[in-house]
Amino acid sequence: MTTPANPATGSLSGTPVVPGVAAGPVLHVRGEISPAAIARFGDGGFADAESALAAYDDAAAAVAETFTTKAASAQGAAAEVLTASAGLARDKGLRGAVNKNLQAGHGPVAAVQGAVDQFVTIFTTMGGLMAERVTDLRDIERRVVAHLVGEPAPGVPTPTEPSILVAEDLAPSDTSGLDPALVTALVTERGGATSHTAIIARQLGIPCIVGAAGIMELPTGTFVVVDGETGTIEQGADPDEARERVEASRRLREELASWTGPAATLDGLPLKLLANVADGASAESAGVEPVQGVGLFRTELCFLDQKEEPTVDEQADIYSAVLAPYADGRYVVVRTLDAGSDKPIAFATHAGEENPALGVRGLRLSFDNPGLMDRQLDGIAAAAERTGTETWVMAPMVATVAEAADFAEKVRARGLKPGVMVEIPSAALLAHRMLEVVDFLSIGTNDLTQYTMAADRMATDLAHLTDPWQPAVLQLIAITAHAGREAGKPVGVCGEAAADPLLATALIGMGISSLSMAARAVRPVGAQLSRVSLETCEAAAEAALGAPDPMAARAAVREVLGH
Ligand code: PEP
Ligand code: MG
């Protein structure tokens, strides 16, 4: 856990995930239902288990309906997670577990809590994306119990003035429909850089800090200044000074968002900024941003809901839609299926693995099913030919040079340019040998951090470890970048780290040749890089690499940049 930065002045700190400064009173999310209300309700006085189950059905249907209504007025990722929560509230398996507990003589509240506990254990054991649903399950539990005992639904109270929303962790239902004019920043005690909280904050464009230990102890109404770049939450600041800082930050964000490229450092070194895309629609919308192409097309995201493997022709159609917007001289890096672990795909995932993140995922799926890879490469080659777009192809989860060599041979046989992702420390340490057999490398910092720190990227209480600013992760990136320079071959970064404007300067300074990120991150990153020279980037890299921990590394880079 992150420790308070300065207990003497009452400042707290956490992992900064969305930059920007906000100031205002703390507003706590209503979490638990009062034990007194639950005690009053007792066993609900139902005549039998059947009538208690009917009351559960009413409560679950009402909760699901709330999610569905919120989903209808939400957009993008928020709408998707709310729809998923509605489905979870109606889940037959959950209802079955509640019924079993009722039949065994438990009261309705205990029956719901017991059933949810059981599902939480199953989801936690499965790890990855499923483990992330635990927050959603607990949210459903609180809401169903609140409905049963006749208490108001837990969640975000409506702010009466611009406020800083504080919670242990935020569920999608808490964060959807938030008005950024009234909720000006999010701070949570738990949650990682890829948690729902962070995703929603990015979407709303409000500062966000996760993993802030001690934040729950701040009383509602405490005036704080939240800095989403430094990760600090200050108390006792002068309100006028705070207002000025907020205004300066707002002006800076506006300026950054208006950057239009082309990407280059202050002293004119051209840079490559690329987009991460998931399908034809996102490729098209990213194409109008100032990007030189796509640095990561996550092909598995096209197949999450498909039971059967699409044919080569069907795949060629899907890939063509992504390649087509870049037929104007730009290029697209297609990643072969990264199924398994947090991205289960019906036709390509090994079921029942004890530890799926370390199991048969990514490239490894092709070991006992080479046809899966061959058909995908055929589909990609057909799309490349049809659109005329320059197409590079890379494999995820590559651990050995032999794997890279086999993959490269298959890709070259189809006239395409082969590369591999560096997501496993073994690949970073052997980057120089990898580059003897492939034409480029792309560092996936999300997984590289997970595997270097042995910390699940979805874990909500390991934000301090799942941080790409960790010295060991930065060293592995530097080793890989150095190998690229020596070999004269491109080494890019395509994980979340590339979207962090501060870290982007250090990455360029290490010799990284391209940064690929969510389309909306491109302008702030491009603008930041345009304000610094290559020499400053190199100084930022040295400062980051020499720092003892992530917060010190951020502070050292900020100092180099004069922030
Ligand atoms: C990564 O691991 O950094 C990466 C880009 O791949 P994904 O996030 O899809 O696992
Ligand atoms: Mg990855």
Side-chain angles (χ1 to χ4, degrees), residues 18-44:
V18 183
V21 178
V26 162
L27 180 70
H28 281 279
V29 172
R30 221 179 5 246
E32 301 310 320
I33 304 147
S34 90
I38 295 181
R40 262 196 313 276
F41 178 74
D43 63 6

Side-chain angles (χ1 to χ4, degrees), residues 296 298 335 338 343 361 421 423 444-447 457 494-495:
L296 171 64
R298 290 179 162 105
R335 177 174 76 182
D338 186 24
K343 288 170 284 199
R361 61 168 288 198
M421 289 194 74
E423 298 179 286
T445 45
N446 309 335
D447 277 316
R457 61 194 265 187
C494 66

Side-chain angles (χ1 to χ4, degrees), residues 26-31 70 143 153-161 163-167 170 173-174 177-179 182-183 220:
V26 162
L27 180 70
H28 281 279
V29 172
R30 221 179 5 246
K70 285 189 174 196
R143 285 167 183 274
V156 181
T158 309
T160 50
E161 58 181 318
S163 303
I164 311 294
L165 194 64
V166 165
L170 286 166
S173 57
D174 294 325
L178 287 184
D179 178 355
L182 284 175
V183 171
T220 287

